[in-house]
Amino acid sequence: MPRISVNVDGTAFTDEVEPRLLLVHYLRDRLGKTGTNIGCDTSNCGACTVVMDGLSVKSCTVLAVQADGSDVTTIEGLADDGRWHPLQKAFHTEHALQCGYCTPGMIMASVGLLADNPDPSDEEVREGLEGNLCRCTGYQNIVKAVRTAAAEMHEGATR
Amino acid sequence: MIPAPFEYVRVGSVDEAVDALSEHGEEATLLAGGHSLLPLMRLRLAVPEVLVDLGRVDELRGVRDAGDHLAVGAMTTHHQVMSDPLVREHCGVLAEVTGEVGDPQVRHRGTIGGACAHGDAAGDHPACLLALDATMVARDPGGTREITAADFFTGIFETALAPDEVLTEVHLPKLDGSWGFDYQKFQRVKQAWAIVGACALVRREDGRIGEARVGLTNLGSVPVRATGTERLLAGAAAEPDALREAAAQAAEGTQPPTDSNARPDYRRHLARVLTLRALQNSLAS
């Protein structure tokens, strides 16, 4: 079986994996990082989104062997020493979730979005998150939360 | 869902990929970004015995200026194509069309070569590359050959690539500022495939239309050119009536498919409407 080395949430892992193992199953079943959810399993809903080498990806559509040598950040690695990331805080304060199932993916897609565009308009947030579905239809507050977090991150960067 | 088991081969160069395909024959499938192939494998609609991963073949990534054309490496991701300065300057239509593919996560992984080799008539690239008269470059054990976009797409999920052939590059013409362009895509929801798409390229010449090219998505088993429209527009006045008259011929000679989204007559209607919009926007761009 192929051997892979992946850095996940700041920890280096080396594992033998079956080639057909999907990254999301590696994260959840092998590493126990169940914060990353599986939603549709058809590359549509974005619940399984993680950041891989700086770019948001759907981990249900990446083989673990493809992630060999990569740096992966999941929702579980976002907080800094117990302090929530501005996006985590903003999703909380702006009530950007109802059932919460899409939230890890929404937040990780937003991490990718804000890395690309630190100050997106409402429209740009909606376009940037077009690969993530919320079935509680909470998009209004999700957009609000991403913009709130962007403002906080901007403030932090210029302080 | 979990794909069926397969043997995984990681290659580091095009030569190694060609060797792997020669060795394993039709049992082998190339893996590019995986955003068409892996969903099919999870549904077990694709069951390759050997998967040859091109992910580490650096020579297939990036865009270079090749003088009279641009050469886009087959493993260049949609995200890279969209943001590439050479593509934006010389072939903006490809950047626009690429931005319509999937969603940001999909565009971070999916590649231009993978999208082409997949041969999906509902994909956005084929009609655009057909309208551009792009050339595909492929390598097999015997060497390299060039295939025009018109000859490359041969059927539903079928291309001119032989089982031991690797698509290496897509060559795009450089379009100067006299060309306007637009892509119109009609879909049920934002991430869905095109029910119909129309990609227009229009060269303006002293208030007239020097040349117009229109590629249509999902109006047949392969992308097609709206030849009736193109013929009427060559040398025509760049005026609303001329565009309307020409767009009315967009579906001429096509045999659109039927599926749960649309019947042929509705697809022909969409082709006419979307072609008109794409032409209007091309002239305004």
Side-chain angles (χ1 to χ4, degrees):
Chain A
M1 275 200 293
R3 178 182 292 268
I4 61 167
S5 297
V6 195
N7 195 305
V8 182
D9 295 337
T11 304
F13 295 91
T14 299
D15 280 297
E16 285 191 351
V17 296
E18 211 185 340
R20 63 174 169 164
L21 183 70
L22 299 170
L23 178 59
V24 69
H25 291 137
Y26 176 68
L27 295 172
R28 289 176 55 88
D29 302 342
R30 294 288 281 274
L31 305 187
K33 290 184 171 286
T34 50
T36 301
N37 286 338
I38 299 172
C40 67
D41 214 5
T42 56
S43 319
N44 279 288
C45 79
C48 64
T49 300
V50 299
V51 171
M52 184 165 140
D53 297 327
L55 297 172
S56 57
V57 303
K58 294 181 172 177
S59 62
C60 76
T61 315
V62 177
L63 297 169
V65 285
Q66 289 178 291
D68 184 20
S70 292
D71 204 74
V72 175
T73 306
T74 76
I75 188 73
E76 297 189 27
L78 207 53
D80 180 13
D81 211 11
R83 283 194 321 251
W84 280 0
H85 184 279
L87 276 162
Q88 290 172 302
K89 269 193 284 183
F91 268 65
H92 182 217
T93 55
E94 301 289 355
H95 302 284
L97 55 112
Q98 194 176 142
C99 83
Y101 201 85
C102 72
T103 310
M106 283 287 177
I107 290 182
M108 297 316 291
S110 302
V111 169
L113 167 64
L114 294 182
D116 221 32
N117 180 358
D119 186 25
S121 63
D122 279 10
E123 183 71 27
E124 287 168 336
V125 173
R126 287 177 188 278
E127 272 182 20
L129 297 181
E130 71 185 3
N132 293 73
L133 304 178
C134 164
R135 295 292 80 162
C136 307
T137 68
Y139 293 111
Q140 291 291 80
N141 286 352
I142 290 170
V143 173
K144 230 193 275 178
V146 174
R147 294 202 62 186
T148 300
E152 189 194 326
M153 289 162 75
H154 185 67
E155 221 173 85
T158 53
R159 195 178 289 155
Chain B
M1 282 158 291
I2 296 167
F6 54 84
E7 183 190 334
Y8 176 74
V9 178
R10 182 184 291 167
V11 292
S13 68
V14 176
D15 286 342
E16 282 178 33
V18 170
D19 286 348
L21 290 184
S22 304
E23 185 190 335
H24 297 287
E26 297 202 6
E27 289 169 1
T29 299
L30 290 173
L31 174 65
H35 274 57
S36 298
L37 181 58
L38 292 178
L40 289 180
M41 287 173 62
R42 280 189 318 219
L43 293 170
R44 306 221 176 177
L45 294 172
V47 190
E49 290 191 22
V50 180
L51 206 55
V52 179
D53 184 2
L54 295 171
R56 315 284 154 138
V57 184
D58 291 338
E59 62 186 296
L60 289 178
R61 289 193 193 270
V63 180
R64 68 187 164 85
D65 191 330
D68 65 341
H69 64 271
L70 297 182
V72 183
M75 285 295 289
T76 310
T77 64
H78 302 316
H79 176 69
Q80 289 166 332
V81 166
M82 283 168 66
S83 47
D84 186 84
L86 285 170
V87 173
R88 298 188 79 88
E89 182 183 348
H90 298 293
C91 201
V93 65
L94 182 68
E96 179 176 326
V97 167
T98 303
E100 290 296 320
V101 175
D103 54 52
Q105 291 98 313
V106 169
R107 295 192 292 267
H108 286 153
R109 297 287 302 168
T111 65
I112 185 169
C116 291
H118 186 53
D120 188 347
D124 299 302
H125 281 86
C128 172
L129 296 177
L130 187 69
L132 280 167
D133 281 330
T135 303
M136 326 298 277
V137 183
R139 199 188 304 173
D140 72 2
T144 295
R145 68 166 174 148
E146 295 190 350
I147 311 163
T148 63
D151 289 335
F152 184 83
F153 301 102
T154 54
I156 299 167
F157 299 115
E158 281 178 10
T159 69
L161 290 171
D164 60 351
E165 217 169 16
V166 178
L167 176 64
T168 57
E169 277 185 338
V170 179
H171 289 181
L172 308 166
K174 287 183 179 176
L175 303 179
D176 65 26
S178 64
W179 287 90
F181 58 80
D182 188 50
Y183 183 55
Q184 291 285 318
K185 178 178 182 178
F186 190 81
Q187 57 206 145
R188 220 160 40 79
V189 294
K190 191 72 180 77
Q191 291 168 304
W193 280 269
I195 296 174
V196 171
C199 179
L201 290 163
V202 179
R203 182 165 55 79
R204 292 158 291 204
E205 203 178 76
D206 304 326
R208 305 191 79 79
I209 292 169
E211 184 184 354
R213 305 184 196 164
V214 179
L216 298 171
T217 298
N218 215 2
L219 219 63
S221 58
V222 293
V224 292
R225 291 275 284 264
T227 48
T229 300
E230 294 181 356
R231 212 168 35 239
L232 282 175
L233 286 176
E239 282 166 12
D241 283 351
L243 298 188
R244 258 194 297 277
E245 216 174 289
Q249 303 301 314
E252 181 193 290
T254 62
Q255 291 182 307
T258 296
D259 59 25
S260 55
N261 286 315
R263 291 193 317 243
D265 57 344
Y266 180 52
R267 281 202 156 86
R268 287 193 192 96
H269 166 76
L270 283 174
R272 292 188 284 266
V273 171
L274 298 177
T275 295
L276 179 59
R277 289 180 192 163
L279 290 169
Q280 288 167 337
N281 291 343
S282 296
L283 279 177
S285 70

